[in-house]
Amino acid sequence: MSFFFQYRCLRREVQEDLAHAHHAERSGSSAMSTFSPEPKEEEPKKDKSREEESKEMTLVPGVTVSRPEEGDGSVIFEVGWKENDPSNPLNWTLGKKWMAMLTCCALTIPLTMLTSIEGPTQAAFNAHFHVNAMAGSMTTGIFLIGTGVGSLFSGPFSETFGRNAVYFSTMIVVLLFIMAKALAPNYGAALAFRFIYAVFAASPMTVAGGTIGDIWTPMQLPFGLPLVTFAAYAGPILGPVVGAYTPDIGFAWADWISLIIVGATLIFVLLAQPETYSPVLLEWRAKHLRELTGDNRYQATHASASSLGTRLLTNVYRPFTMIWTEPIILVFSFYLVLLLFTFLNGYPFIFTRVYGITTSITFIIWTAMMPGIFVAIALIPYIYSLTKKAAVKAAAAGQPLQPEVSLYWAMAGASILMPISLFWMAWTCYSDISIWSPIVASGIFGYALVCIFTTSYIYIIFVYLQYAASALGFMTFSCYIISGALSPASVKMYEKIGPHWSLTIVAIVATIMAPVPFILYKYGHKVRAMSKHVQNKA
């Protein structure tokens, strides 16, 4: 397994660093201090200077001596990264970075696919459990709510225990409760099990963004991150396609197929995904130094300030504080709620009822949004070139690269095409107008959606840096909780006023939101200054 070999490799590097330091000391190098393989039996004196205490160890590269203000004031040896350390995820080779990112994509697609794979089975599910369409739609609503709840915890837990611990543990729980859902004896049990595995399936929506932030520098983010956001977007599109014909063999097969796909993905992730969270890797490094030297004063930099419980409590509490301190997240959350609310329950009303095609064919038509992904992928080099030009210009002016370059994706026509595609679909989905008209509008909508989704992810990661997983967790929470609550209401809206006016209402709101990326591009630095948890306020 990749992370196990990574752990062993880090131990070998520490052994080599200690050996080099010890060799330098024996050869009389003045750059190193005296090495003491065993801790001193005598308690160090309180008035001993930092320089004197530091002589009791070998200062291996990346280790600094400090005396915390809290506690008894004794010296600790903070373990950080040495210069150009190959174990630092930011210094990994491009091949290793791309492998970690592609593993995130492979993880994200099946877990986000769970959102919509049951869509085609809805009628069969309702008939089996004798519930009406509105009650049946709660399988979608409860999944969205569960994803929102889970996102609040998956990010903070990954910032405490590491990315892989969250990936592996949550996928195992997801597998167990998908199986429970497939075997559910009644409607209530089915909803309960779907909610539980939705809570744990939320991890890629937040943690994957944190993983990408761990390995890519700000200049690399615009080139690397879009593929992960495209994968997160492709999952819900592919879900109905995978489940399109499962009602013919039994609606529970949507769960069994999900179980097979998620299980295969778990095996792949276990084999291929390394740990990317730098503080956890530094904890491993500090642990190796303690074991190899017998000196318990080695501590990872972030761990020296507080206990594990205190850090976990702080990390879990942080997303909740963002409710009233982070206007950036609130803006993007509202934008994404609008998009999620539009399509989760609207497609059957737009195509099945208007054009009289089968439910299976309707969900196959979801793939009409996929070309938007390919167009966006083709734009990656162009957007990246714009980012590089902005970086060169900022460097010439002696300024850091502004996070607002992340808005290029939404500004590349996406925020304008969003309301256009919705108006187009709203007023051409008539039985006497070719079905290809709303299908083409779906493709344009797909492009706009993926670009706006990408902008929100990159901007949040660029702005919040080490707190990106918490920030994405809050954004996912607000989006999915509201969308889940509105899911049954959307069924009623389409039933009462029809797809034409339903889409028109959403298109009007999208028109109001269209200038947001351009406004943020100009005034984003002022908005960032208003935020408490923003790490990048330059």
Side-chain angles (χ1 to χ4, degrees):
M1 292 182 287
S2 180
F3 67 92
F4 173 76
F5 291 116
Q6 184 183 16
Y7 181 85
R8 299 288 298 178
C9 181
L10 195 59
R11 184 180 183 88
R12 286 196 299 270
E13 289 180 8
V14 169
Q15 288 175 324
E16 292 174 0
D17 287 342
L18 286 171
H20 290 157
H22 188 50
H23 176 74
E25 174 230 332
R26 293 183 63 179
S27 62
S29 173
S30 61
M32 295 294 175
S33 304
T34 305
F35 174 71
S36 176
E38 299 295 335
K40 298 286 185 179
E41 295 184 2
E42 297 181 0
E43 189 73 12
K45 296 179 180 180
K46 296 295 183 180
D47 58 350
K48 186 180 291 186
S49 69
R50 179 176 301 182
E51 290 74 20
E52 290 174 331
E53 291 194 43
S54 68
K55 290 180 180 179
E56 298 174 3
M57 60 164 297
T58 298
L59 284 178
V60 298
V63 176
T64 58
V65 183
S66 68
R67 190 191 301 272
E69 295 180 1
E70 299 179 1
D72 60 5
S74 59
V75 165
I76 63 171
F77 307 134
E78 292 188 351
V79 179
W81 294 117
K82 58 188 178 184
E83 187 176 359
N84 298 321
D85 196 323
S87 295
N88 184 345
L90 289 174
N91 296 329
W92 286 355
T93 63
L94 283 178
K96 191 172 182 180
K97 289 184 178 184
W98 277 102
M99 186 62 194
M101 191 182 70
L102 291 176
T103 307
C104 278
C105 292
L107 170 74
T108 300
I109 290 175
L111 290 183
T112 55
M113 189 177 68
L114 299 176
T115 307
S116 57
I117 193 171
E118 292 194 347
T121 69
Q122 196 64 69
F125 176 89
N126 298 349
H128 180 80
F129 290 113
H130 308 291
V131 296
N132 59 33
M134 186 171 180
S137 70
M138 278 305 298
T139 57
T140 298
I142 203 70
F143 189 93
L144 294 174
I145 292 172
T147 301
V149 172
S151 65
L152 278 180
F153 298 96
S154 57
F157 270 72
S158 77
E159 292 170 348
T160 306
F161 301 107
R163 314 301 189 194
N164 279 0
V166 173
Y167 287 145
F168 301 151
S169 60
T170 56
M171 290 185 76
I172 291 172
V173 176
V174 167
L175 286 171
L176 292 174
F177 281 93
I178 288 177
M179 181 170 61
K181 160 70 169 49
L183 301 172
N186 54 58
Y187 171 73
L191 284 188
F193 293 142
R194 185 155 166 82
F195 173 81
I196 293 172
Y197 78 68
V199 169
F200 290 90
S203 59
M205 297 299 293
T206 54
V207 183
T211 296
I212 300 307
D214 294 338
I215 62 178
W216 296 112
T217 64
M219 265 306 299
Q220 294 171 327
L221 272 178
F223 200 90
L225 182 61
L227 286 179
V228 176
T229 60
F230 296 164
Y233 171 70
I237 293 177
L238 294 174
V241 178
V242 173
Y245 290 96
T246 50
D248 297 339
I249 57 175
F251 72 91
W253 269 100
D255 295 314
W256 295 123
I257 293 173
S258 299
L259 187 73
I260 294 169
I261 294 174
V262 174
T265 303
L266 174 60
I267 294 173
F268 174 70
V269 172
L270 278 170
L271 293 174
Q273 181 69 356
E275 178 59 60
T276 63
Y277 192 49
S278 186
V280 168
L281 297 177
L282 289 175
E283 284 186 1
W284 292 357
R285 182 174 168 85
K287 179 183 177 183
H288 293 320
L289 281 167
R290 289 194 297 269
E291 291 176 350
L292 293 170
T293 64
D295 193 331
N296 290 326
R297 291 173 294 177
Y298 286 99
Q299 295 184 31
T301 303
H302 77 288
S304 62
S306 57
S307 66
L308 175 64
T310 302
R311 296 201 313 275
L312 178 59
L313 182 62
T314 300
N315 290 337
V316 170
Y317 175 71
R318 188 183 301 115
F320 292 93
T321 65
M322 291 179 174
I323 295 174
W324 57 82
T325 65
E326 307 306 312
I328 294 173
I329 301 178
L330 293 175
V331 169
F332 281 113
S333 297
F334 179 76
Y335 212 166
L336 295 177
V337 163
L338 162 73
L339 306 181
L340 289 170
F341 180 49
T342 303
F343 265 83
L344 283 174
N345 289 317
Y347 245 60
F349 292 90
I350 297 168
F351 290 98
T352 306
R353 298 197 181 187
V354 173
Y355 291 98
I357 61 177
T358 65
T359 301
S360 298
I361 295 297
T362 294
F363 285 105
I364 293 294
I365 291 176
W366 275 57
T367 55
M369 289 184 279
M370 290 296 289
I373 292 181
F374 300 124
V375 173
I377 290 175
L379 280 178
I380 290 178
Y382 174 68
I383 300 295
Y384 183 63
S385 68
L386 293 180
T387 305
K388 286 182 67 176
K389 289 179 182 178
V392 170
K393 185 177 179 180
Q399 298 175 346
L401 180 63
Q402 298 296 296
E404 281 67 40
V405 297
S406 307
L407 299 168
Y408 287 153
W409 284 100
M411 295 165 65
S415 66
I416 306 298
L417 290 174
M418 175 61 68
I420 290 175
S421 65
L422 291 171
F423 279 122
W424 181 345
M425 187 177 298
W427 296 107
T428 63
C429 60
Y430 287 93
S431 58
D432 57 346
I433 298 177
S434 172
I435 193 174
W436 285 102
S437 181
I439 288 176
V440 172
S442 295
I444 297 173
F445 176 87
Y447 167 77
L449 177 58
V450 72
C451 287
I452 292 171
F453 196 68
T454 299
T455 279
S456 63
Y457 257 60
I458 296 179
Y459 193 60
I460 292 298
I461 292 173
F462 208 154
V463 166
Y464 290 93
L465 301 177
Q466 70 185 84
Y467 296 148
S470 291
L472 291 173
F474 171 65
M475 186 172 71
T476 305
F477 169 77
S478 57
C479 288
Y480 279 76
I481 288 290
I482 297 173
S483 298
L486 291 177
S487 183
S490 69
V491 174
K492 283 297 181 183
M493 183 179 76
Y494 279 101
E495 286 179 346
K496 295 296 183 182
I497 65 177
H500 313 299
W501 284 108
S502 297
L503 291 174
T504 298
I505 291 172
V506 180
I508 291 171
V509 180
T511 302
I512 296 172
M513 295 293 293
V516 167
F518 300 91
I519 294 172
L520 273 179
Y521 185 77
K522 186 171 184 179
Y523 300 106
H525 61 287
K526 294 183 179 180
V527 178
R528 284 185 279 123
M530 298 163 54
S531 302
K532 179 180 179 181
H533 293 286
V534 164
Q535 299 296 293
N536 191 346
K537 295 186 177 183

